[in-house]
Amino acid sequence: MTPPDPDLLSAAQSASAWPFEEAKKLVARIAASGKREVLFETGYGPSGLPHIGTFGEVARTTMVRNAFRVLTEDKIPTRLVAFSDDMDGLRKVPDNVPNKELLAANLNKPLTAVPDPFGTHSSFGAHNNARLRAFLDSFGFEYEFMSATECYRAGRFDATLRLMLERYDDVMGIMLPSLRAERSATYSPFLPLHPKTGHVMQVPIDEVRREAATLVWRDPETGERFETSVLGGGAKLQWKPDWAMRWVALGVDYEMAGKDLIDSVKLSSEIARALGAAPPDGFNYELFLDEKGQKISKSKGNGLTIEDWLTYGTPESLSLFMYNKPREAKRLFFDVIPRQVDDYLTFLEKYPAQDSKLRLGNPVWHIHAGAPPAPELVQGAGERAATISFAMLLNLVAVANTEEPSVLWGFIRRYAPGASPQTHPVLDRLVTHALAYYRDFVRPAKAYRAPSEAERAALAELSEALAPFAGSTDAEALQAAVYEVGRSHFPDTSGKAKSPDGRPGVSQAWFSAIYQVLLGEARGPRFGSFVALYGVAETRALIAKALAGELLAEHQAFVATRAAA
């Protein structure tokens, strides 16, 4: 992060963006505690591969960390730990792995003691940890990886485990009221590792020997009695006590969690206090919903994966989705991607002209740690330099009827001769995303219709009105022609709408007819800009196909073929 200028630092003190609100709590916490370093943490359960929720938690935590660095002028060191709970026992075999029988034969062992079904690492836990690091590295996150197995075995947690054992009764007093009667009868916060099988044992504890730091327990199958040290990896903790122990042992200052973990956060916080430490600050973010409004579940597979999103949208658009309203439940499905892509482009385009206060409220500041890239602008005749929206590209793909990026670039270069995949790599990636998104989602959902007689007359007149502009990419002049035709056929009768030139406005019915008849959409782009990009001759040919009924017939044939497949 580059050092903030004085104006930015001043604006940060009153910034209302949620990462700054969270960071201000941390500033007060550090002032009260006198600590000289701030530790942020995110947790990962490596029984499965990292997913979109993992990305969201690390991205949001990083945003708070960046805001804190600005508020403190980067004078207080910060660290972000990505912690893997890889000493947990494998309780069931995941559905999405090979060699399931290998995992089935090693159930209840710590994940780092389970053989890797992929055959690439020393254990299943090591395999998933490597995937986590590669995943985080691919997004450029700055973090420090920690393994529960390594921390337990190296004795990093020993002092806090001794303290947990000393206050065993206090911890039990916190946990037991939260458990069902059946489980509370056999519950212990400590899980000894079986010295013969290596299993993580969930068994009653017969005796707690505090001075020796050991637990006495029996094998429920054989009745054999064991005494196990809680130090050096001989035992681990149930996850809520484990979470609290980790906060205390590492000195965690900030960790957020999903809304479904509110009760767990409360219990772990009580345990941390029982150990004489303050639990970390943080907040509970809302969970994601699918297209039906149901909670997304990894087991159900009813949401988007990271790979899904990055097939159709940019990493920055995913970061924007995570930034926006984290305390509100949001639908995480394919139809949210185009809006996020275009919103990101709009925010990025506005950023250079904004003052410090507005910049700190602009999501791109948080997405790019205070140093967003310059927007990629293109400029056609009569147009100000601007980004080409994802929505515009989707409509261009629709009428170009192509799956080739080079065809779209042909239209773009005619509109802006200086643009190319080399000069505009972000736009080039958007072209690829638009082709994929149109193929899989837009085309099947299109709803072309035949024009009414009034619309037919207006569209025919529009084609004639565009004829004198052959070869032109002057979007303003082309938009004026669109308005002029609309004004004579679909005038605004409310008296409220005005044309860009201040003259009487045009009814929205005119633009709706254009979008529905020519593009098969309820809404669409600024039509003059679309014509400038697509081409006057091509637009006139599109109108002719619509008036001849060919667009509607082609789409009906596509739908019928798709239904029969």
Side-chain angles (χ1 to χ4, degrees):
M1 175 181 288
T2 56
D5 60 45
D7 288 343
L8 193 72
L9 184 59
S10 176
Q13 305 305 317
S14 59
S16 59
W18 70 262
F20 277 100
E21 293 296 329
E22 291 298 298
K24 288 171 189 174
K25 294 192 305 185
L26 268 175
V27 170
R29 176 190 178 95
I30 297 305
S33 70
K35 283 186 67 176
R36 297 185 177 182
E37 180 186 75
V38 172
L39 183 64
F40 296 83
E41 183 183 59
T42 63
Y44 167 62
S47 58
L49 299 178
H51 53 86
I52 206 162
T54 309
F55 171 86
E57 190 164 311
V58 178
R60 287 165 172 165
T61 304
T62 297
M63 292 172 186
V64 177
R65 182 187 183 191
N66 291 333
F68 177 85
R69 294 176 64 184
V70 171
L71 287 170
T72 58
E73 300 180 68
D74 221 5
K75 293 177 180 178
I76 299 176
T78 62
R79 294 162 55 215
L80 170 59
V81 167
F83 193 93
S84 173
D85 293 312
D86 57 15
M87 203 170 165
D88 285 350
L90 178 65
R91 302 302 177 194
K92 64 178 182 178
V93 178
D95 294 329
N96 59 345
V97 297
N99 300 318
K100 291 184 175 63
E101 66 283 353
L102 182 64
L103 296 187
N106 287 275
L107 288 175
N108 299 313
K109 291 182 179 179
L111 290 161
T112 45
V114 175
D116 179 16
F118 297 92
T120 58
H121 292 78
S122 59
S123 68
F124 187 40
H127 175 92
N128 288 335
N129 286 341
R131 291 290 297 269
L132 172 68
R133 293 195 296 271
F135 172 82
L136 297 179
D137 291 343
S138 70
F139 289 101
F141 289 119
E142 179 187 328
Y143 68 98
E144 174 185 341
F145 175 79
M146 279 191 187
S147 155
T149 301
E150 293 174 4
C151 288
Y152 269 102
R153 289 179 179 172
R156 186 164 189 168
F157 293 155
D158 280 359
T160 313
L161 290 169
R162 280 188 179 275
L163 181 59
M164 183 80 76
L165 203 61
E166 290 172 9
R167 302 184 183 178
Y168 186 93
D169 293 338
D170 293 334
V171 176
M172 289 288 282
I174 293 168
M175 288 301 304
L176 290 181
S178 71
L179 304 173
R180 295 188 301 272
E182 181 180 354
R183 189 170 184 220
S184 65
T186 60
Y187 179 84
S188 166
F190 284 91
L191 304 173
L193 266 64
H194 199 296
K196 295 182 178 180
T197 66
H199 290 180
V200 179
M201 302 299 293
Q202 297 197 44
V203 291
I205 301 302
D206 294 340
E207 187 179 349
V208 176
R209 297 181 174 174
R210 291 173 174 80
E211 289 298 321
T214 59
L215 305 168
V216 178
W217 57 281
R218 293 181 183 274
D219 185 319
E221 293 186 2
T222 67
E224 187 173 1
R225 194 168 185 263
F226 296 98
E227 182 175 353
T228 300
S229 173
V230 302
L231 309 178
K236 75 174 299 291
L237 290 164
Q238 300 267 14
W239 85 270
K240 293 178 183 111
D242 185 82
W243 205 7
M245 181 276 297
R246 192 164 77 228
W247 289 343
V248 176
L250 300 179
V252 177
D253 295 293
Y254 190 89
E255 181 164 6
M256 59 179 66
K259 186 179 179 181
D260 56 335
L261 297 181
I262 287 177
D263 290 340
S264 300
V265 170
K266 290 178 179 177
L267 287 170
S268 296
S269 296
E270 287 185 47
I271 295 172
R273 293 186 188 99
L275 298 180
D281 285 337
F283 73 89
N284 294 103
Y285 52 82
E286 261 289 1
L287 305 179
F288 299 130
L289 308 175
D290 65 13
E291 78 278 17
K292 298 178 181 178
Q294 302 297 312
K295 186 180 79 170
I296 282 178
S297 164
K298 284 189 292 182
S299 60
K300 292 180 181 178
N302 61 333
L304 287 183
T305 66
I306 287 280
E307 292 76 15
D308 289 335
W309 189 293
L310 297 183
T311 297
Y312 306 110
T314 60
E316 295 83 4
S317 65
L318 178 57
S319 292
L320 176 63
F321 182 82
M322 296 302 175
Y323 172 86
N324 285 332
K325 300 178 179 178
R327 292 183 178 88
E328 293 184 13
K330 294 183 293 186
R331 293 174 67 254
L332 177 58
F333 209 65
F334 295 102
D335 58 359
V336 307
I337 295 176
R339 173 67 179 272
Q340 298 301 311
V341 173
D342 276 344
D343 282 354
Y344 169 79
L345 294 174
T346 299
F347 285 127
L348 188 64
E349 188 174 340
K350 289 179 177 179
Y351 185 84
Q354 292 178 326
D355 61 22
S356 294
K357 182 178 180 180
L358 290 175
R359 285 185 172 188
L360 294 183
N362 187 325
V364 300
W365 187 95
H366 301 274
I367 291 169
H368 296 286
E376 281 189 2
L377 306 178
V378 297
Q379 187 166 13
E383 286 267 85
R384 67 174 181 84
T387 54
I388 293 179
S389 71
F390 194 55
M392 180 71 82
L393 289 175
L394 287 174
N395 282 294
L396 189 59
V397 175
V399 296
N401 193 28
T402 182
E403 295 187 7
E404 293 297 326
S406 59
V407 174
L408 263 66
W409 271 106
F411 292 115
I412 294 169
R413 276 194 292 267
R414 182 175 58 189
Y415 171 72
S420 71
Q422 291 71 39
T423 61
H424 290 69
V426 173
L427 179 56
D428 191 42
R429 291 198 298 272
L430 287 181
V431 165
T432 300
H433 291 317
L435 289 165
Y437 194 89
Y438 176 77
R439 177 195 64 227
D440 294 340
F441 300 107
V442 176
R443 189 178 184 189
K446 279 188 172 291
Y448 287 93
R449 66 171 176 82
S452 67
E453 287 305 313
E455 292 165 347
R456 176 178 293 275
L459 287 167
E461 186 173 322
L462 176 61
S463 179
E464 293 303 315
L466 292 175
F469 295 93
S472 173
T473 58
D474 187 338
E476 294 301 327
L478 293 167
Q479 183 73 356
V482 174
Y483 264 99
E484 193 62 37
V485 173
R487 188 177 291 110
S488 61
H489 288 266
F490 294 92
D492 173 60
T493 56
S494 69
K496 296 179 181 179
K498 295 290 183 183
S499 296
D501 59 5
R503 298 168 64 193
V506 177
S507 170
Q508 185 58 41
W510 169 229
F511 297 103
S512 295
I514 291 175
Y515 303 142
Q516 293 166 9
V517 174
L518 301 184
L519 303 177
E521 299 281 356
R523 293 175 296 277
R526 185 172 182 268
F527 201 66
S529 298
F530 171 81
V531 177
L533 186 60
Y534 184 50
V536 171
E538 288 78 2
T539 302
R540 295 190 69 207
L542 184 68
I543 293 173
K545 288 185 69 175
L547 296 181
E550 294 175 20
L551 294 182
L552 180 58
E554 287 175 1
H555 187 66
Q556 289 173 335
F558 164 76
V559 172
T561 301
R562 184 181 175 89

